[in-house]
């Protein structure tokens, strides 16, 4: 219990502070994160997780993890497991408060009979088609169902027989008796229960009727003593129904509060669409590093700290908007800049031979692991006569201001010498540059007499005989255009799946012949580095092995977001 209200950082904390003042919940703050286990969590869920667990922590309250498993047809154990792993990985704990809406099935049923007894619910035999016709439109009121005035006894009998499996799937529903003329369509006698013969992962075949979300959710919140039931904006119209259910049952009433869901540019953010990408083979799985899923971001190399920082920075608002994915990238760059050790890797190798360097000589050069953090120490990198540099760091006919390697031009090799290009060998048929011959300035090593010479370009490189071959995977956005996920996605619209037309065929580039400095030999799965001049990279959690390293590019070095902020 908090006696000192927090400085409100968002409108929900402001509501909590008001509730402290009026003593609405006796000073308690109890939230929940209620995922439906029908897919993997995405970064939008991370926003909700950070908000719910964050508010609870800041107010010395509690946050439950509750699986909203009321729709057995779409749910799987795999999702339940992945969701728990993801919430934990993000750094949050529900302690012993792991719940399932299905734990309350008996209670839901009992409450439904109570509603029937109070004359507030009835069994309706209209077909789905008829139900739609009777429902009216936004501009026209609906019509009462001919079954609306069944007697309480008949309703009790029919509902029990629904439960006992006497009627076929979809033939009847239990509906709330509210108001078919309500301007809020949600209140036009919404369905509370439907008949569905589906095996449930927790209750097996015990039930052939399942409660609807709008009925199960408020009751679950009430049973768990939730104070602030935070959900996304599309549920705003459902709030009167949330309140109606609890009021009709005369049970404890939490407060539903809506906030804007997160949308990100260049990606999709709905489980349904993400599932399509997985099932139709656009990506390798839910954890494909291009996916905006928590598992995809983790495999890509994102850290929980960066994701939490991102969720903090985007804030909590009451109107929908789309966040530039550049901000998410900015957050991981800031985090990795401080903690990722530096290393050198060449993605598209071109052989460089230093003709005046002794053929059998190998020098051990010292390189700092992180210039931002001297305490991260140094490492040894070998230098020898034959090196690799990036193909595009050499140009036969350089344009103006090409401060890299070109005939007659000098560059500095990071942590090593200044070299000068003397000649090159070219495949006359293909035009491909096969190797570049250079000389080195022996005194130009760090601390040497000519080390201070002004040279415009510095290249990264790897000693050829010591290099470790690896695969590097470069990623681009999932969607090529700036298409954004539609905020209305949650209300499963029939709208065409044209988001897949925007799928970026160049979203994955695999480079099989990359050359890494030898210190990376034992890079553990999940370890992250900054490859100089190339970006941040993470050893793949699944495909990388000691004998065959695979690195994912987390993000490049260029920070478009920070640049845009500076204007
Ligand atoms: P999707 O549309 O991606 O399937 P959902 O809302 O159906 O998402 P749930 O499993 O029902 O997914 O969501 C669990 C919680 O996460 C809910 O409280 C929901 O409001 C929240 N949530 C889902 N998507 C987002 C998002 N993009 N931004 C913020 N919160 C979200
Ligand atoms: Mg949902």
């Amino acid at each position: 219990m908090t006696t000192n209200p927090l400085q409100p950082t968002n409108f929900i904390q402001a509501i909590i502070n008001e509730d402290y003042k009026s003593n609405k919940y006796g000073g308690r703050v109890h939230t929940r994160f209620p995922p439906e286990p029908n897919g993997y969590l995405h970064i939008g869920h991370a926003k909700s997780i950070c908000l719910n667990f964050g508010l609870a922590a800041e107010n010395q309250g509690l946050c439950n993890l509750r699986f909203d498993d009321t729709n057995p047809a779409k749910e799987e154990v795999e999702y339940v497991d992945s969701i728990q792993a993801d919430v934990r990985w993000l750094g949050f704990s529900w302690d012993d408060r792991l719940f399932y809406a299905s734990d309350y099935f008996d209670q839901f049923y009992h409450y439904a009979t109570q509603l029937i007894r109070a004359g507030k619910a009835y069994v309706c035999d209209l077909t789905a088609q008829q139900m739609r016709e009777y429902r009216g439109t936004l501009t026209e009121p609906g019509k009462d169902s001919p079954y609306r005035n069944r007697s309480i006894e008949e309703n009790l009998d029919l509902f029990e027989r629904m439960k006992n499996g006497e009627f076929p799937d979809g033939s009847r529903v239990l509906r709330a008796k509210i108001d078919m003329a309500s301007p809020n369509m949600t209140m036009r006698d919404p369905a509370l229960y439907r008949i569905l013969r589906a095996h449930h992962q927790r209750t097996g075949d015990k039930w052939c009727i399942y409660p609807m979300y709008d009925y199960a959710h408020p009751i679950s919140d009430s049973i768990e003593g939730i104070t602030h039931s935070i959900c996304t904006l599309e549920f705003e119209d459902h709030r009167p129904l949330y309140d109606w259910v609890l009021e009709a049952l005369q049970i404890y009433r939490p407060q539903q509060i809506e906030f804007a869901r997160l949308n990100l540019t260049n990606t999709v953010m709905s489980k349904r669409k993400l599932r399509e990408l997985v099932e139709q083979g656009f990506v390798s799985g839910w954890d494909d590093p291009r996916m905006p899923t928590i598992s995809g971001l983790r495999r890509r190399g994102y850290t929980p700290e960066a994701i939490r920082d991102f969720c903090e920075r985007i804030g909590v608002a009451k109107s929908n908007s789309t966040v530039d994915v550049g901000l998410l990238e900015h957050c991981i760059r800031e985090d990795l800049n401080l903690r990722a050790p530096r290393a050198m890797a060449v993605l598209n190798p071109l052989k460089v031979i230093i003709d005046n360097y002794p053929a059998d000589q190998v020098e051990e050069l010292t390189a700092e692991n992180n210039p931002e953090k001297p305490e991260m120490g140094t490492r040894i990198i070998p230098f020898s006569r034959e090196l690799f540099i990036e193909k595009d760091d050499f140009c036969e006919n350089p344009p103006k201001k090409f401060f890299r390697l070109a005939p007659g031009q000098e560059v500095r090799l990071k942590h090593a010498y200044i070299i000068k290009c003397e000649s090159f060998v070219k495949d006359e048929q293909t035009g491909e540059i096969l190797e570049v011959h250079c000389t080195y300035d022996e005194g130009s090593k760090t601390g040497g007499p000519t080390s201070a010479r002004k040279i415009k370009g510095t290249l990264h490189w790897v000693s050829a005989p010591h290099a470790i071959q690896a695969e590097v995977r470069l990623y681009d956005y999932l969607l090529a255009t700036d298409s954004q996920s539609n905020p209305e996605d949650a209300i499963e619209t029939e709208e065409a799946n044209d988001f897949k037309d925007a799928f970026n065929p160049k979203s994955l580039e695999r480079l099989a012949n990359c050359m890494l400095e030898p210190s990376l030999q034992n890079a553990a799965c999940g370890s992250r580095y900054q490859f100089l001049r190339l970006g941040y990279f993470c050893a793949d959690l699944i495909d990388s092995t000691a004998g065959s390293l695979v690195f994912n590019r987390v993000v490049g070095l260029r920070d478009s977001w920070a640049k845009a902020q500076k204007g």
Side-chain angles (χ1 to χ4, degrees):
M1 189 161 140
T2 298
T3 41
N4 264 336
L6 295 167
Q7 213 32 39
T9 42
N10 59 51
F11 78 94
I12 301 179
Q13 182 64 52
I15 293 173
I16 291 174
N17 289 353
E18 284 306 308
D19 295 341
Y20 284 142
K21 261 191 234 159
S22 64
N23 203 28
K24 186 169 175 190
Y25 298 109
R28 283 192 313 123
V29 172
H30 198 150
T31 57
R32 84 287 171 265
F33 173 64
E36 184 182 353
N38 62 347
Y40 281 62
L41 297 182
H42 51 58
I43 178 98
H45 293 110
K47 175 177 179 180
S48 176
I49 292 166
C50 290
L51 184 60
N52 280 294
F53 282 93
L55 283 171
E58 285 153 19
N59 291 280
Q60 287 84 52
L62 300 170
C63 180
N64 298 354
L65 175 62
R66 182 202 313 141
F67 286 104
D68 167 28
D69 57 348
T70 51
N71 189 3
K74 296 195 290 180
E75 295 158 6
E76 287 178 35
V77 180
E78 177 194 351
Y79 301 140
V80 168
D81 294 342
S82 75
I83 289 170
Q84 294 186 52
D86 287 350
V87 175
R88 268 196 217 105
W89 180 79
L90 277 173
F92 298 104
S93 170
W94 54 87
D95 300 318
D96 57 351
R97 294 177 313 282
L98 172 61
F99 300 110
Y100 293 83
S102 57
D103 294 343
Y104 313 133
F105 278 176
D106 285 308
Q107 186 77 58
F108 294 152
Y109 180 80
H110 173 74
Y111 278 143
T113 62
Q114 229 171 283
L115 288 179
I116 295 172
R117 280 199 191 87
K120 291 178 176 170
Y122 63 99
V123 173
C124 181
D125 306 357
L126 292 179
T127 62
Q129 172 62 26
Q130 289 170 320
M131 199 102 97
R132 266 193 295 277
E133 286 161 18
Y134 273 75
R135 200 160 174 242
T137 63
L138 282 174
T139 49
E140 289 163 58
K143 279 189 303 188
D144 284 1
S145 158
Y147 305 100
R148 200 172 197 261
N149 293 315
R150 277 178 158 152
S151 69
I152 288 174
E153 289 65 37
E154 190 184 2
N155 279 318
L156 283 173
D157 174 61
L158 285 173
F159 185 51
E160 181 167 8
R161 289 167 59 195
M162 276 169 66
K163 180 190 73 150
N164 292 342
E166 292 186 29
F167 311 119
D169 283 9
S171 60
R172 291 187 156 93
V173 292
L174 182 73
R175 297 176 74 175
K177 197 174 190 173
I178 308 179
D179 178 8
M180 287 307 293
S182 171
N184 181 346
M185 302 276 285
T186 309
M187 299 298 272
R188 293 185 187 170
D189 291 11
L192 305 178
Y193 264 97
R194 59 193 172 136
I195 307 174
L196 176 70
R197 284 168 180 79
H199 186 83
H200 189 284
Q201 52 162 307
R202 289 179 62 85
T203 59
D205 296 314
K206 176 174 174 192
W207 296 91
C208 66
I209 55 171
Y210 288 96
M212 307 303 287
Y213 173 89
D214 280 338
Y215 172 71
H217 200 77
I219 299 176
S220 307
D221 282 347
S222 179
I223 292 172
E224 294 174 18
I226 300 305
T227 54
H228 303 84
S229 175
I230 301 167
C231 62
T232 42
L233 277 184
E234 67 275 13
F235 289 100
E236 197 166 14
D237 286 350
H238 299 236
R239 186 177 353 121
L241 179 53
Y242 183 101
D243 292 339
W244 182 92
V245 168
L246 300 176
E247 176 74 40
L249 291 168
Q250 296 184 319
I251 54 177
Y252 165 79
R253 203 163 110 188
Q255 173 68 51
Q256 175 179 311
I257 303 168
E258 309 86 18
F259 74 102
R261 60 196 295 125
L262 168 67
N263 293 298
L264 268 189
T265 53
N266 295 93
T267 192
V268 284
M269 193 81 84
S270 119
K271 277 181 280 185
R272 179 176 60 80
K273 290 181 175 177
L274 294 171
R275 189 180 317 110
E276 275 181 54
L277 292 176
V278 172
E279 286 172 357
Q280 297 176 27
F282 283 85
V283 295
S284 65
W286 286 95
D287 65 351
D288 186 298
R290 289 167 286 180
M291 295 279 271
T293 50
I294 307 292
S295 48
L297 290 166
R298 172 166 62 232
R299 194 170 163 193
R300 176 85 169 251
Y302 271 78
T303 61
E305 290 82 359
I307 295 175
R308 293 200 303 262
D309 179 34
F310 170 73
C311 290
E312 180 108 350
R313 289 183 193 223
I314 57 177
V316 188
K318 266 200 262 202
S319 59
N320 281 316
S321 65
T322 300
V323 174
D324 187 339
V325 67
L327 176 57
L328 179 62
E329 296 170 349
H330 174 76
C331 293
I332 186 66
R333 264 187 213 104
E334 284 222 317
D335 189 28
L336 293 184
N337 180 37
L338 294 181
R339 57 158 111 188
R342 275 47 171 170
M344 292 202 283
V346 173
L347 303 189
N348 294 295
L350 168 63
K351 179 75 74 71
V352 167
I353 299 152
I354 310 203
D355 290 317
N356 63 340
Y357 193 86
D360 50 1
Q361 183 170 312
V362 176
E363 275 178 88
E364 295 195 325
L365 305 175
T366 302
E368 83 249 306
N369 285 332
N370 188 336
E372 307 280 341
K373 284 242 172 121
E375 64 270 31
M376 284 173 70
T378 59
R379 68 188 185 287
I380 297 295
I381 41 177
F383 185 87
S384 68
R385 186 170 189 261
E386 298 201 355
L387 313 169
F388 292 115
I389 63 165
E390 296 290 346
K391 276 202 173 101
D392 63 5
D393 277 337
F394 174 79
C395 186
E396 182 184 350
N397 299 301
K400 271 205 183 100
K401 297 195 177 168
F402 183 82
F403 299 124
R404 293 174 266 169
L405 205 56
Q409 222 163 280
E410 283 190 310
V411 292
R412 187 184 297 277
L413 295 177
K414 183 73 179 171
H415 302 306
Y417 297 98
I418 295 168
I419 60 170
K420 180 176 181 183
C421 173
E422 307 289 354
S423 65
F424 57 92
V425 180
K426 182 165 148 179
D427 180 330
E428 288 304 334
Q429 308 263 287
T430 62
E432 195 194 347
I433 307 294
L434 300 176
E435 58 185 48
V436 178
H437 287 264
C438 296
T439 49
Y440 82 118
D441 171 356
E442 205 185 336
S444 62
K445 205 164 70 165
T446 312
T450 50
S451 68
R453 279 172 57 206
K454 287 253 176 303
I455 299 290
K456 279 247 167 83
T458 301
L459 306 186
H460 62 275
W461 55 275
V462 171
S463 166
H466 304 93
I468 299 159
Q469 193 184 343
E471 176 180 329
V472 169
R473 298 173 184 170
L474 302 179
Y475 302 97
D476 197 351
Y477 300 125
L478 211 45
L479 300 190
T481 62
D482 205 39
S483 24
Q484 306 151 4
S485 52
N486 177 352
E488 305 304 318
D489 279 340
I491 316 158
E492 305 265 308
T493 55
E494 309 268 354
E495 121 207 49
N497 294 325
D498 46 19
F499 81 93
K500 281 179 295 183
D501 297 343
F503 179 80
N504 180 0
K506 298 201 183 106
S507 53
L508 169 60
E509 187 186 351
R510 295 168 73 146
L511 303 171
N513 190 37
C514 302
M515 296 295 169
L516 314 182
E517 67 167 70
S519 75
L520 293 169
Q521 178 75 71
N522 298 315
C525 285
S527 54
R528 306 173 183 91
Y529 298 86
Q530 184 194 98
F531 290 171
L532 293 184
R533 297 175 69 225
L534 298 174
Y536 293 98
F537 291 77
C538 175
D540 192 78
L541 284 167
I542 295 179
D543 295 339
S544 193
T545 60
S548 120
L549 293 170
V550 176
F551 277 89
N552 298 313
R553 176 147 76 184
V554 189
V555 69
L557 292 174
R558 229 182 62 121
D559 195 332
S560 59
W561 188 84
K563 225 172 154 187
Q565 299 312 296
K566 284 187 194 127

